Amino acid sequence: MTLPAIAANRLADLQAFERAILEKQPQIEAWFRAQWRAHTPPFYGSVDIRNSGYKMASIDMNLFPGGFNNLNPQFLPLAAAAAQDAVERACETARSVLLIPENHTRNTFYLQNVYALSQILRHAGFEVRLGSLNPEITAATELETALGDTIVLEPVQRTRERLHLADGFSPCLVLLNNDLSGGVPEILQGLGQVVLPPLHGGWITRRKTDHFAAYNGVAAEFAALVGIDEWTVNPYFEKISGLDFQEREGEEQLAAAVERLLAKIQAKYDEKGISDAPFVIVKADAGTYGMGVMSVKSADEVRSLNRKNRNKMAKVKEGLAVTEVIVQEGIYTYETLHGAVAEPVVYMMDRFVVGGFFRVHEGRGTDENLNASGMRFVPLQGNIATSGAGDDDPQALAQSKRAFEQWESLGLPQTHRTDECESNRLYVYGVMARLSLLAASIELEQSAAPAGAA
Amino acid sequence: MTLPAIAANRLADLQAFERAILEKQPQIEAWFRAQWRAHTPPFYGSVDIRNSGYKMASIDMNLFPGGFNNLNPQFLPLAAAAAQDAVERACETARSVLLIPENHTRNTFYLQNVYALSQILRHAGFEVRLGSLNPEITAATELETALGDTIVLEPVQRTRERLHLADGFSPCLVLLNNDLSGGVPEILQGLGQVVLPPLHGGWITRRKTDHFAAYNGVAAEFAALVGIDEWTVNPYFEKISGLDFQEREGEEQLAAAVERLLAKIQAKYDEKGISDAPFVIVKADAGTYGMGVMSVKSADEVRSLNRKNRNKMAKVKEGLAVTEVIVQEGIYTYETLHGAVAEPVVYMMDRFVVGGFFRVHEGRGTDENLNASGMRFVPLQGNIATSGAGDDDPQALAQSKRAFEQWESLGLPQTHRTDECESNRLYVYGVMARLSLLAASIELEQSAAPAGAA
């Protein structure tokens, strides 16, 4: 694998950051172990990382990751071992898992992800069957995945407090690979089985700002441990509520927040001698798949949104209206692969990093969101397919401009090396991703309490 | 990797055996998980497998494996994850490990193993330092390994009930990579720290026959689970005590045992329609490194041992006299690589298979012991070195005739495939190895009780 190149004038910053982390590797791992004794890791997760050299952080944490098909098969043994821990933690005597995928049936990349995830669980020694919530699935249905594998969707049924399939298959663990953007269907409510991720982790109730509030605490503790400025690993953010983009309600509050954040970033840039122009990302506080996202460099950009862009911001997946946003400090991406901006995506199962890849986008700038609406993953190599998701439009898939580069190693730190080294860079990404995973674990604990266990 | 070829007339047997196991994969894994809840897995272990097609089993289980340098580096992430479990199980808050290697200083392949094992633990996030029992190590000593890495041996010291190094480094976990063949040194006795493997796992107290007695129970349960004849995975054995090979004491008892076992095997061969000539292996009941081992096809061979062969059997490593032997059913090796007999060796860390390789020996027959005294591992490829161990004679290393082939995958079962498939074969080896690992865990529990916790 080619490691992305970092811009020449950012290399020294990145190397200093990497060294600071590598020098504390045993302390960092001991700290993570202690954290995982206090907090239950999410079943799985994926994290988007941004890296400007002088700053590196998670900017998004997905509790319902697609794209397991994107991971290097060489990491499968580790993923399977991690899955054993994850399943046993949920249900000690589990022998099988009922996996609930998204309702997509024509997005063969997503189906490939379902196949890959099932295979990880099978390799871990669990029987896996797929229970679909899709009303079109009324009988066991064979579907072909992007790479020609076969999966069988079966209609999920419910009897009293248990989900099951037609023949009575009813394991104690129900694993969601469906982010519940459209709300929690009645059939999933009040089950006696363990449901993971928990229902309150779905986007109908989850908020990005809750995640980053939990992340604040994690980042502060981590920064103190490593002896770095917390800002280096933690983007500023604010939450703005009561918005209606189409009616232009709350526009001024949003613009004011953008202004405040830009000023805070500028102050930090001045302190650090960074000459970049600050920018912020405005994102739906609930939602995924890069919908409802914009990159902004001045408050006026928020005030002068045209109808088309207001419409784009107004709704996310499943038509959910956007009334709350997170305004988040933007982190420049100074990493490029093959001349194109590259963003690391890290996958985790239980408390372990089990793979990753770089999103690569040729048409995008360093301050734009690569996970934007309408964008699709496309295979970089013939034998690797990736998750598109979002909808089932094969046309859109075909028009994709997205590429990615799969990790070929897993970031085992080479602490004695001080030069540029793939293992060390990937290790540092993995640390950043696990900070966000830990924040998600704390976030889920906190959100479980007031709402009542789902 | 090339999978060893199985003799044509044994292929059908092997395929039937593999299919029986693959069909029960989820049940087998659930059973292992349940076993590991009841029994603590050894910290690590390696297992020698024999495979005749009609029979496959562990014939030796090493609690102090060398040769971690032989494993494919691609399995390191899994080994590191498994090591986290292993260390945490021993000492929940451990941040560092004191590793006690064998006393060898000139066997650079063994030193490479120590380096590889340290690296696994470091990748898992633990600080690792090497405490040597070797009286020649009186100050911190840098040594170069076979591949040019550096390790530092430090003299181990003791203050009251704690081992430590000169600067006070004194972790709660002391990990032995020294099999205590010469007895348990006083400095290790009655420590307040956790010592793993436990002292009673050393060859001064451990007996192969205790291992295989525990294995009997494991194999019976496993065979019932899978629905196969227990004999398929369990070699017959007997224990003979009170021997003195040099004085020819006990020779008749040994010959009688050989006769009984050969008759039992012949009966089973007749039942199964197997035309092979039965043979047994006579091995020192305590000991390792292939010393004190002979392959026997008739009781008369035991009666007519010449002085040279009696001397060979009389002593094992560290000059320990052999008074007890295990007489074990021999399993033919019908697997060949590059035309030479090939024996699988499987490495485990905690409850996970973390790698393996095939011992390949061009000068040996299908019924001979490939781990015989005087034999050495040699690299098959330039970049892979292997553990010789046994003594420190570089001459002997150079004269080595041993080769091996490293596993390139980790045996994730492809349950839908019925043809010859590397993953499935390696998975089945891994199952056999884990049966022996489980037996070791039960053996250590049982031997801990009467002797008092070490």
Side-chain angles (χ1 to χ4, degrees), chain B residues 409-428:
Chain B
S409 70
L410 261 186
L412 292 173
Q414 309 292 320
T415 45
H416 61 288
R417 289 185 59 172
T418 53
D419 54 332
E420 276 289 272
C421 158
E422 179 180 314
S423 301
N424 287 343
R425 181 89 62 88
L426 299 188
Y427 174 72
V428 171

Side-chain angles (χ1 to χ4, degrees), chain A residues 278-297:
Chain A
F279 72 103
V280 296
I281 300 283
V282 181
K283 292 188 271 198
D285 203 15
T288 181
Y289 292 121
M291 301 168 86
V293 178
M294 60 182 172
S295 172
V296 175
K297 275 189 179 140

Side-chain angles (χ1 to χ4, degrees), chain B residues 7-17 19:
Chain B
N9 59 338
R10 300 303 173 201
L11 182 60
D13 288 329
L14 180 58
Q15 285 181 333
F17 180 68
R19 269 199 303 278

Side-chain angles (χ1 to χ4, degrees), chain B residues 170-186:
Chain B
S170 181
C172 75
L173 175 60
V174 175
L175 178 61
L176 300 175
N177 195 248
N178 180 318
D179 69 7
L180 310 175
S181 283
V184 179
E186 215 179 302

